[in-house]
């Protein structure tokens, strides 16, 4: 196994693969550079930045970006807007690093420009019906990218690989020795307060992806109230929920990534029912009371091991 550790998408990433040709890993890292130039909301050189700056004019964009936006919109529809790719106007108001809370009037004004139904994709031309709308793909892009990296490695003849994009984990082929990959489900505590490898459960995966969202990262407390980065499209403020974290297991990392934040906003009962009924998903949920909930198929599709 050979690996590459690198910083992209504002996080630390790892790609590991069984190969004698390390150029393949360098090619995978270069793919990540390309995706940043497609999907970044803040990079003035990116295709998405250009779309958001078009003030509602129909904009010809890279065909892959247009197709991905169309795909992301399908997730918005499936969860009735609990995930909304036009949250950019609201998310850009928040500064979790410096613990800054935006004024309620500013959030209310930004919410008037949040509505995924106003994004129109026609082949490689994208139109934002609201000139002040802002598409933000950060809640789903890493899943798409992880799937793309595995597809690239597979095309290059790699049979065993692991991709970890800042906690968004996707694997294929199991380990070279025949064992499954073991993916830890992290304790729902900030990275700053615990070792990165501190997990409360292990998922054993040969092929597939596991993605966790939680209200404990990129969060701060002020006047006794927790403010976290999972913003509710209905309010523009951190979601009020009885879930600390949601881990989604799926064959595709896009599916795993595409549903995690919506499950957090659904709350425990609705989230468990949604994941239970969805044929592509399994889920592990941790409630604010410390209970661990899991879909009935989690032991059939993966080995789920609770640690002591």
């Amino acid at each position: 196994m050979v690996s590459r550790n690198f910083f992209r998408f504002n996080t630390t990433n790892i790609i590991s693969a069984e190969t004698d040709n390390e150029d393949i890993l360098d090619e995978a890292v270069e793919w990540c550079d390309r995706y940043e130039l497609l999907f970044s909301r803040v990079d003035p050189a990116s295709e998405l930045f250009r779309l958001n700056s078009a003030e509602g004019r129909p904009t010809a964009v890279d065909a892959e970006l247009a197709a991905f936006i169309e795909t992301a919109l399908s997730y918005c529809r499936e969860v009735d807007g609990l995930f909304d790719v036009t949250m950019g106007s609201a998310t850009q108001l928040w500064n979790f690093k410096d613990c800054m809370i935006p004024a309620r009037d500013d959030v209310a004004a930004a919410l008037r420009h949040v509505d995924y139904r106003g994004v129109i994709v026609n082949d490689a031309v994208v139109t934002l019906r609201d000139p002040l709308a802002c598409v933000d793909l950060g809640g789903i892009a890493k899943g798409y990218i992880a799937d793309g990296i595995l597809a690239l490695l597979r095309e290059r003849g790699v049979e065993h690989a692991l991709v970890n994009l800042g906690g968004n984990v996707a694997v294929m082929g199991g380990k070279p020795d025949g064992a499954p990959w073991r993916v830890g489900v992290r304790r729902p505590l900030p990275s700053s307060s615990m070792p990165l490898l501190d997990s409360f459960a292990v998922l054993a995966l040969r092929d597939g992806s596991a993605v966790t969202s939680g209200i404990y990262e990129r969060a701060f407390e002020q006047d006794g109230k927790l403010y976290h980065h999972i913003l509710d499209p209905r309010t523009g403020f951190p979601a009020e929920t009885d879930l600390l974290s949601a881990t989604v297991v799926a064959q595709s990392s896009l599916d795993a990534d595409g549903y995690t934040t919506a499950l957090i906003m659904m709350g425990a009962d609705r989230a468990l029912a949604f994941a239970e009924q969805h044929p592509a998903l399994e889920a592990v949920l941790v409630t604010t009371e410390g209970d661990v909930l899991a879909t009935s198929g989690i032991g059939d599709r993966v080995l789920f091991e609770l640690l002591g």
Side-chain angles (χ1 to χ4, degrees):
M1 297 291 294
V2 292
S3 299
R4 288 290 183 275
N5 291 22
F6 59 100
F7 192 86
R8 297 292 188 283
F9 322 123
N10 201 33
T11 190
T12 300
N13 310 282
I14 303 170
I15 301 174
S16 299
E18 185 188 36
T19 179
D20 294 327
N21 183 3
E22 295 196 30
D23 290 345
I24 295 173
L25 295 183
D26 295 330
E27 184 181 2
V29 174
E30 290 174 3
W31 268 50
C32 292
D33 292 333
R34 176 176 182 272
Y35 284 130
E36 283 217 295
L37 288 175
L38 285 179
F39 301 154
S40 172
R41 176 178 60 82
V42 298
D43 187 346
S46 79
E47 285 281 281
L48 183 60
F49 188 95
R50 186 166 63 84
L51 171 65
N52 286 332
S53 302
E55 299 180 336
R57 294 184 296 272
T59 304
V61 299
D62 184 280
E64 188 171 8
L65 173 60
F68 180 44
I69 290 175
E70 183 65 69
T71 297
L73 290 173
S74 70
Y75 288 87
C76 298
R77 290 189 289 268
E78 189 169 357
V79 297
D80 297 323
L82 287 180
F83 169 67
D84 192 314
V85 294
T86 61
M87 274 292 286
S89 59
T91 56
Q92 64 191 2
L93 296 177
W94 287 85
N95 185 337
F96 291 94
K97 181 179 180 180
D98 296 327
C99 305
M100 301 293 292
I101 303 170
R104 286 194 172 273
D105 287 347
D106 292 340
V107 173
L111 281 183
R112 290 196 285 269
H113 309 293
V114 174
D115 188 349
Y116 68 91
R117 294 167 296 186
V119 181
I120 309 301
V121 181
N122 186 5
D123 292 327
V125 176
V126 182
T127 304
L128 306 183
R129 286 178 174 169
D130 182 343
L132 297 181
C134 180
V135 173
D136 186 341
L137 299 172
I140 195 172
K142 287 196 294 184
Y144 178 86
I145 295 167
D147 286 337
I149 293 171
L150 287 185
L152 171 67
L153 297 177
R154 195 175 294 112
E155 290 174 2
R156 299 297 184 266
V158 174
E159 296 181 354
H160 308 279
L162 176 146
V163 176
N164 185 341
L165 303 183
N168 185 317
V169 179
V171 299
M172 70 178 188
K175 293 183 178 180
D177 64 2
W181 296 101
R182 295 173 64 83
V183 181
V185 182
R186 288 188 48 209
R187 299 186 187 278
L189 296 169
S191 297
S192 59
S193 68
M194 67 176 202
L196 288 177
L197 297 180
D198 193 3
S199 303
F200 74 89
V202 171
L203 301 168
L205 297 173
R206 294 187 180 279
D207 296 278
S209 179
V211 178
T212 299
S213 287
I215 65 172
Y216 47 86
E217 292 285 19
R218 292 178 59 202
F220 62 91
E221 189 171 315
Q222 194 170 110
D223 298 327
K225 184 176 178 60
L226 179 70
Y227 293 88
H228 57 83
H229 74 285
I230 301 178
L231 303 181
D232 191 327
R234 298 165 296 190
T235 67
F237 278 81
E240 299 284 346
T241 179
D242 61 352
L243 285 177
L244 286 175
S245 69
T247 298
V248 175
V249 181
Q251 189 64 31
S252 81
S253 195
L254 179 60
D255 276 343
D257 203 14
Y259 292 108
T260 50
T261 54
L263 292 186
I264 291 286
M265 282 182 277
M266 288 178 187
D269 291 343
R270 185 182 170 193
L272 188 63
F274 180 92
E276 192 75 64
Q277 294 167 8
H278 199 296
L281 307 181
E282 301 295 345
V284 181
L285 311 173
V286 181
T287 73
T288 52
E289 297 296 319
D291 295 324
V292 178
L293 311 175
T295 50
S296 59
I298 196 74
D300 297 331
R301 293 185 46 185
V302 297
L303 170 64
F304 178 55
E305 174 187 345
L306 284 172
L307 304 178

